[in-house]
PDB file of all heavy atoms in Angstrom:
ATOM      1  N   LEU A1032      -3.040   8.393 -45.506  1.00 95.00           N
ATOM      2  CA  LEU A1032      -4.345   7.899 -45.023  1.00 95.00           C
ATOM      3  C   LEU A1032      -4.296   7.562 -43.539  1.00 95.00           C
ATOM      4  O   LEU A1032      -5.260   7.792 -42.798  1.00 95.00           O
ATOM      5  CB  LEU A1032      -4.729   6.641 -45.794  1.00 95.00           C
ATOM      6  CG  LEU A1032      -4.916   6.782 -47.337  1.00 95.00           C
ATOM      7  CD1 LEU A1032      -5.142   5.393 -47.932  1.00 95.00           C
ATOM      8  CD2 LEU A1032      -6.120   7.629 -47.620  1.00 95.00           C
ATOM      9  N   ARG A1033      -3.212   6.948 -43.130  1.00 95.00           N
ATOM     10  CA  ARG A1033      -3.107   6.487 -41.729  1.00 95.00           C
ATOM     11  C   ARG A1033      -3.180   7.692 -40.751  1.00 95.00           C
ATOM     12  O   ARG A1033      -2.498   8.651 -40.960  1.00 95.00           O
ATOM     13  CB  ARG A1033      -1.753   5.828 -41.474  1.00 95.00           C
ATOM     14  CG  ARG A1033      -1.589   4.467 -42.162  1.00 95.00           C
ATOM     15  CD  ARG A1033      -0.213   3.961 -41.894  1.00 95.00           C
ATOM     16  NE  ARG A1033       0.035   2.697 -42.563  1.00 95.00           N
ATOM     17  CZ  ARG A1033       1.260   2.316 -42.935  1.00 95.00           C
ATOM     18  NH1 ARG A1033       2.292   3.113 -42.722  1.00 95.00           N
ATOM     19  NH2 ARG A1033       1.404   1.162 -43.556  1.00 95.00           N
ATOM     20  N   GLY A1034      -4.029   7.528 -39.794  1.00 94.00           N
ATOM     21  CA  GLY A1034      -4.178   8.616 -38.808  1.00 94.00           C
ATOM     22  C   GLY A1034      -5.199   9.650 -39.280  1.00 94.00           C
ATOM     23  O   GLY A1034      -5.931  10.176 -38.463  1.00 94.00           O
ATOM     24  N   LYS A1035      -5.262   9.906 -40.605  1.00 94.00           N
ATOM     25  CA  LYS A1035      -6.172  10.948 -41.079  1.00 94.00           C
ATOM     26  C   LYS A1035      -7.509  10.383 -41.579  1.00 94.00           C
ATOM     27  O   LYS A1035      -8.571  10.815 -41.170  1.00 94.00           O
ATOM     28  CB  LYS A1035      -5.490  11.788 -42.149  1.00 94.00           C
ATOM     29  CG  LYS A1035      -6.270  13.035 -42.516  1.00 94.00           C
ATOM     30  CD  LYS A1035      -5.407  13.968 -43.292  1.00 94.00           C
ATOM     31  CE  LYS A1035      -6.190  15.146 -43.786  1.00 94.00           C
ATOM     32  NZ  LYS A1035      -6.819  15.913 -42.749  1.00 94.00           N
ATOM     33  N   SER A1036      -7.361   9.427 -42.507  1.00 95.00           N
ATOM     34  CA  SER A1036      -8.631   8.797 -43.011  1.00 95.00           C
ATOM     35  C   SER A1036      -9.048   7.644 -42.137  1.00 95.00           C
ATOM     36  O   SER A1036     -10.199   7.326 -41.976  1.00 95.00           O
ATOM     37  CB  SER A1036      -8.423   8.298 -44.439  1.00 95.00           C
ATOM     38  OG  SER A1036      -8.126   9.413 -45.283  1.00 95.00           O
ATOM     39  N   MET A1037      -8.018   6.932 -41.633  1.00 96.00           N
ATOM     40  CA  MET A1037      -8.309   5.775 -40.787  1.00 96.00           C
ATOM     41  C   MET A1037      -7.316   5.714 -39.642  1.00 96.00           C
ATOM     42  O   MET A1037      -6.158   6.046 -39.824  1.00 96.00           O
ATOM     43  CB  MET A1037      -8.231   4.510 -41.608  1.00 96.00           C
ATOM     44  CG  MET A1037      -6.920   4.354 -42.384  1.00 96.00           C
ATOM     45  SD  MET A1037      -6.935   2.918 -43.412  1.00 96.00           S
ATOM     46  CE  MET A1037      -5.302   3.029 -44.139  1.00 96.00           C
ATOM     47  N   ALA A1038      -7.831   5.394 -38.459  1.00 96.00           N
ATOM     48  CA  ALA A1038      -6.972   5.338 -37.295  1.00 96.00           C
ATOM     49  C   ALA A1038      -7.300   4.055 -36.593  1.00 96.00           C
ATOM     50  O   ALA A1038      -8.312   3.429 -36.807  1.00 96.00           O
ATOM     51  CB  ALA A1038      -7.141   6.527 -36.410  1.00 96.00           C
ATOM     52  N   MET A1039      -6.391   3.654 -35.675  1.00 96.00           N
ATOM     53  CA  MET A1039      -6.564   2.375 -35.047  1.00 96.00           C
ATOM     54  C   MET A1039      -6.278   2.423 -33.570  1.00 96.00           C
ATOM     55  O   MET A1039      -5.342   3.089 -33.132  1.00 96.00           O
ATOM     56  CB  MET A1039      -5.650   1.355 -35.739  1.00 96.00           C
ATOM     57  CG  MET A1039      -5.866  -0.109 -35.323  1.00 96.00           C
ATOM     58  SD  MET A1039      -5.286  -1.238 -36.572  1.00 96.00           S
ATOM     59  CE  MET A1039      -5.659  -2.775 -35.784  1.00 96.00           C
ATOM     60  N   ILE A1040      -7.058   1.664 -32.762  1.00 96.00           N
ATOM     61  CA  ILE A1040      -6.720   1.473 -31.373  1.00 96.00           C
ATOM     62  C   ILE A1040      -6.610  -0.029 -31.127  1.00 96.00           C
ATOM     63  O   ILE A1040      -7.203  -0.828 -31.797  1.00 96.00           O
ATOM     64  CB  ILE A1040      -7.758   2.116 -30.408  1.00 96.00           C
ATOM     65  CG1 ILE A1040      -9.146   1.578 -30.685  1.00 96.00           C
ATOM     66  CG2 ILE A1040      -7.752   3.621 -30.547  1.00 96.00           C
ATOM     67  CD1 ILE A1040     -10.184   2.194 -29.696  1.00 96.00           C
ATOM     68  N   PHE A1041      -5.770  -0.327 -30.108  1.00 94.00           N
ATOM     69  CA  PHE A1041      -5.431  -1.759 -29.944  1.00 94.00           C
ATOM     70  C   PHE A1041      -5.880  -2.252 -28.586  1.00 94.00           C
ATOM     71  O   PHE A1041      -6.205  -1.530 -27.703  1.00 94.00           O
ATOM     72  CB  PHE A1041      -3.908  -1.920 -30.063  1.00 94.00           C
ATOM     73  CG  PHE A1041      -3.348  -1.442 -31.374  1.00 94.00           C
ATOM     74  CD1 PHE A1041      -2.898  -0.141 -31.571  1.00 94.00           C
ATOM     75  CD2 PHE A1041      -3.298  -2.298 -32.461  1.00 94.00           C
ATOM     76  CE1 PHE A1041      -2.405   0.283 -32.776  1.00 94.00           C
ATOM     77  CE2 PHE A1041      -2.806  -1.872 -33.667  1.00 94.00           C
ATOM     78  CZ  PHE A1041      -2.350  -0.604 -33.841  1.00 94.00           C
ATOM     79  N   GLN A1042      -5.764  -3.570 -28.463  1.00 91.00           N
ATOM     80  CA  GLN A1042      -6.209  -4.242 -27.202  1.00 91.00           C
ATOM     81  C   GLN A1042      -5.365  -3.815 -26.018  1.00 91.00           C
ATOM     82  O   GLN A1042      -5.850  -3.407 -24.982  1.00 91.00           O
ATOM     83  CB  GLN A1042      -6.149  -5.729 -27.399  1.00 91.00           C
ATOM     84  CG  GLN A1042      -6.442  -6.535 -26.092  1.00 91.00           C
ATOM     85  CD  GLN A1042      -6.430  -8.010 -26.333  1.00 91.00           C
ATOM     86  OE1 GLN A1042      -6.538  -8.499 -27.430  1.00 91.00           O
ATOM     87  NE2 GLN A1042      -6.332  -8.795 -25.260  1.00 91.00           N
ATOM     88  N   ASP A1043      -4.024  -3.952 -26.190  1.00 93.00           N
ATOM     89  CA  ASP A1043      -3.104  -3.729 -25.090  1.00 93.00           C
ATOM     90  C   ASP A1043      -2.567  -2.326 -25.135  1.00 93.00           C
ATOM     91  O   ASP A1043      -1.589  -2.044 -25.783  1.00 93.00           O
ATOM     92  CB  ASP A1043      -1.983  -4.799 -25.181  1.00 93.00           C
ATOM     93  CG  ASP A1043      -1.081  -4.675 -23.962  1.00 93.00           C
ATOM     94  OD1 ASP A1043      -1.165  -3.711 -23.235  1.00 93.00           O
ATOM     95  OD2 ASP A1043      -0.260  -5.595 -23.800  1.00 93.00           O
ATOM     96  N   SER A1044      -3.243  -1.394 -24.451  1.00 94.00           N
ATOM     97  CA  SER A1044      -2.879   0.020 -24.590  1.00 94.00           C
ATOM     98  C   SER A1044      -1.485   0.254 -23.967  1.00 94.00           C
ATOM     99  O   SER A1044      -0.792   1.205 -24.381  1.00 94.00           O
ATOM    100  CB  SER A1044      -3.910   0.907 -23.930  1.00 94.00           C
ATOM    101  OG  SER A1044      -4.085   0.528 -22.556  1.00 94.00           O
ATOM    102  N   LEU A1045      -1.095  -0.526 -22.990  1.00 94.00           N
ATOM    103  CA  LEU A1045       0.263  -0.302 -22.416  1.00 94.00           C
ATOM    104  C   LEU A1045       1.321  -0.589 -23.417  1.00 94.00           C
ATOM    105  O   LEU A1045       2.309   0.117 -23.533  1.00 94.00           O
ATOM    106  CB  LEU A1045       0.418  -1.181 -21.157  1.00 94.00           C
ATOM    107  CG  LEU A1045       1.726  -0.951 -20.388  1.00 94.00           C
ATOM    108  CD1 LEU A1045       1.797   0.490 -19.892  1.00 94.00           C
ATOM    109  CD2 LEU A1045       1.838  -1.898 -19.236  1.00 94.00           C
ATOM    110  N   ALA A1046       1.150  -1.688 -24.175  1.00 95.00           N
ATOM    111  CA  ALA A1046       2.164  -2.022 -25.177  1.00 95.00           C
ATOM    112  C   ALA A1046       2.037  -1.150 -26.402  1.00 95.00           C
ATOM    113  O   ALA A1046       3.042  -0.932 -27.099  1.00 95.00           O
ATOM    114  CB  ALA A1046       1.983  -3.486 -25.581  1.00 95.00           C
ATOM    115  N   ALA A1047       0.856  -0.588 -26.671  1.00 96.00           N
ATOM    116  CA  ALA A1047       0.674   0.184 -27.866  1.00 96.00           C
ATOM    117  C   ALA A1047       1.103   1.595 -27.743  1.00 96.00           C
ATOM    118  O   ALA A1047       1.179   2.311 -28.746  1.00 96.00           O
ATOM    119  CB  ALA A1047      -0.820   0.108 -28.286  1.00 96.00           C
ATOM    120  N   LEU A1048       1.365   2.083 -26.548  1.00 97.00           N
ATOM    121  CA  LEU A1048       1.841   3.472 -26.414  1.00 97.00           C
ATOM    122  C   LEU A1048       3.369   3.423 -26.130  1.00 97.00           C
ATOM    123  O   LEU A1048       3.817   2.545 -25.430  1.00 97.00           O
ATOM    124  CB  LEU A1048       1.115   4.201 -25.300  1.00 97.00           C
ATOM    125  CG  LEU A1048      -0.331   4.554 -25.606  1.00 97.00           C
ATOM    126  CD1 LEU A1048      -1.072   4.921 -24.346  1.00 97.00           C
ATOM    127  CD2 LEU A1048      -0.410   5.683 -26.608  1.00 97.00           C
ATOM    128  N   HIS A1049       4.089   4.394 -26.676  1.00 96.00           N
ATOM    129  CA  HIS A1049       5.534   4.410 -26.492  1.00 96.00           C
ATOM    130  C   HIS A1049       5.873   4.652 -25.022  1.00 96.00           C
ATOM    131  O   HIS A1049       5.422   5.640 -24.449  1.00 96.00           O
ATOM    132  CB  HIS A1049       6.214   5.463 -27.376  1.00 96.00           C
ATOM    133  CG  HIS A1049       7.622   5.185 -27.622  1.00 96.00           C
ATOM    134  ND1 HIS A1049       8.553   5.217 -26.620  1.00 96.00           N
ATOM    135  CD2 HIS A1049       8.294   4.896 -28.751  1.00 96.00           C
ATOM    136  CE1 HIS A1049       9.722   4.894 -27.182  1.00 96.00           C
ATOM    137  NE2 HIS A1049       9.604   4.704 -28.461  1.00 96.00           N
ATOM    138  N   PRO A1050       6.660   3.738 -24.407  1.00 94.00           N
ATOM    139  CA  PRO A1050       6.854   3.874 -22.987  1.00 94.00           C
ATOM    140  C   PRO A1050       7.697   5.089 -22.576  1.00 94.00           C
ATOM    141  O   PRO A1050       7.652   5.513 -21.431  1.00 94.00           O
ATOM    142  CB  PRO A1050       7.596   2.580 -22.612  1.00 94.00           C
ATOM    143  CG  PRO A1050       8.200   2.102 -23.891  1.00 94.00           C
ATOM    144  CD  PRO A1050       7.261   2.597 -24.984  1.00 94.00           C
ATOM    145  N   PHE A1051       8.458   5.637 -23.520  1.00 93.00           N
ATOM    146  CA  PHE A1051       9.400   6.724 -23.164  1.00 93.00           C
ATOM    147  C   PHE A1051       8.944   8.101 -23.536  1.00 93.00           C
ATOM    148  O   PHE A1051       9.656   9.069 -23.328  1.00 93.00           O
ATOM    149  CB  PHE A1051      10.757   6.478 -23.828  1.00 93.00           C
ATOM    150  CG  PHE A1051      11.393   5.197 -23.354  1.00 93.00           C
ATOM    151  CD1 PHE A1051      12.414   4.619 -24.123  1.00 93.00           C
ATOM    152  CD2 PHE A1051      11.071   4.597 -22.189  1.00 93.00           C
ATOM    153  CE1 PHE A1051      13.065   3.425 -23.696  1.00 93.00           C
ATOM    154  CE2 PHE A1051      11.703   3.446 -21.736  1.00 93.00           C
ATOM    155  CZ  PHE A1051      12.643   2.865 -22.493  1.00 93.00           C
ATOM    156  N   PHE A1052       7.767   8.225 -24.144  1.00 95.00           N
ATOM    157  CA  PHE A1052       7.287   9.566 -24.550  1.00 95.00           C
ATOM    158  C   PHE A1052       6.045   9.923 -23.686  1.00 95.00           C
ATOM    159  O   PHE A1052       5.217   9.073 -23.427  1.00 95.00           O
ATOM    160  CB  PHE A1052       6.904   9.597 -26.018  1.00 95.00           C
ATOM    161  CG  PHE A1052       8.046   9.432 -26.979  1.00 95.00           C
ATOM    162  CD1 PHE A1052       7.990   8.586 -28.079  1.00 95.00           C
ATOM    163  CD2 PHE A1052       9.245  10.101 -26.741  1.00 95.00           C
ATOM    164  CE1 PHE A1052       9.039   8.431 -28.957  1.00 95.00           C
ATOM    165  CE2 PHE A1052      10.350   9.955 -27.597  1.00 95.00           C
ATOM    166  CZ  PHE A1052      10.227   9.109 -28.699  1.00 95.00           C
ATOM    167  N   LYS A1053       5.959  11.166 -23.346  1.00 95.00           N
ATOM    168  CA  LYS A1053       4.779  11.639 -22.613  1.00 95.00           C
ATOM    169  C   LYS A1053       3.538  11.510 -23.503  1.00 95.00           C
ATOM    170  O   LYS A1053       3.569  11.690 -24.702  1.00 95.00           O
ATOM    171  CB  LYS A1053       4.918  13.136 -22.244  1.00 95.00           C
ATOM    172  CG  LYS A1053       6.058  13.371 -21.261  1.00 95.00           C
ATOM    173  CD  LYS A1053       6.251  14.856 -21.088  1.00 95.00           C
ATOM    174  CE  LYS A1053       7.435  15.057 -20.091  1.00 95.00           C
ATOM    175  NZ  LYS A1053       7.845  16.445 -20.074  1.00 95.00           N
ATOM    176  N   VAL A1054       2.414  11.137 -22.842  1.00 96.00           N
ATOM    177  CA  VAL A1054       1.202  10.919 -23.652  1.00 96.00           C
ATOM    178  C   VAL A1054       0.772  12.174 -24.418  1.00 96.00           C
ATOM    179  O   VAL A1054       0.352  12.090 -25.559  1.00 96.00           O
ATOM    180  CB  VAL A1054       0.061  10.410 -22.797  1.00 96.00           C
ATOM    181  CG1 VAL A1054       0.330   9.119 -22.109  1.00 96.00           C
ATOM    182  CG2 VAL A1054      -0.440  11.454 -21.797  1.00 96.00           C
ATOM    183  N   GLY A1055       0.998  13.367 -23.827  1.00 96.00           N
ATOM    184  CA  GLY A1055       0.664  14.569 -24.514  1.00 96.00           C
ATOM    185  C   GLY A1055       1.412  14.709 -25.826  1.00 96.00           C
ATOM    186  O   GLY A1055       0.888  15.045 -26.846  1.00 96.00           O
ATOM    187  N   ASP A1056       2.717  14.383 -25.766  1.00 96.00           N
ATOM    188  CA  ASP A1056       3.559  14.448 -26.956  1.00 96.00           C
ATOM    189  C   ASP A1056       3.130  13.421 -28.001  1.00 96.00           C
ATOM    190  O   ASP A1056       3.189  13.678 -29.193  1.00 96.00           O
ATOM    191  CB  ASP A1056       4.995  14.258 -26.619  1.00 96.00           C
ATOM    192  CG  ASP A1056       5.591  15.416 -25.781  1.00 96.00           C
ATOM    193  OD1 ASP A1056       4.896  16.479 -25.787  1.00 96.00           O
ATOM    194  OD2 ASP A1056       6.634  15.274 -25.137  1.00 96.00           O
TER     195      ASP A1056
END
Side-chain angles (χ1 to χ4, degrees):
Chain A
L1032 299 173
R1033 289 178 184 152
K1035 190 164 174 58
S1036 298
M1037 52 185 180
M1039 189 158 179
I1040 58 178
F1041 301 93
Q1042 173 177 342
D1043 184 349
S1044 57
L1045 185 61
L1048 288 166
H1049 202 295
F1051 297 160
F1052 295 135
K1053 293 172 181 169
V1054 299
D1056 291 343

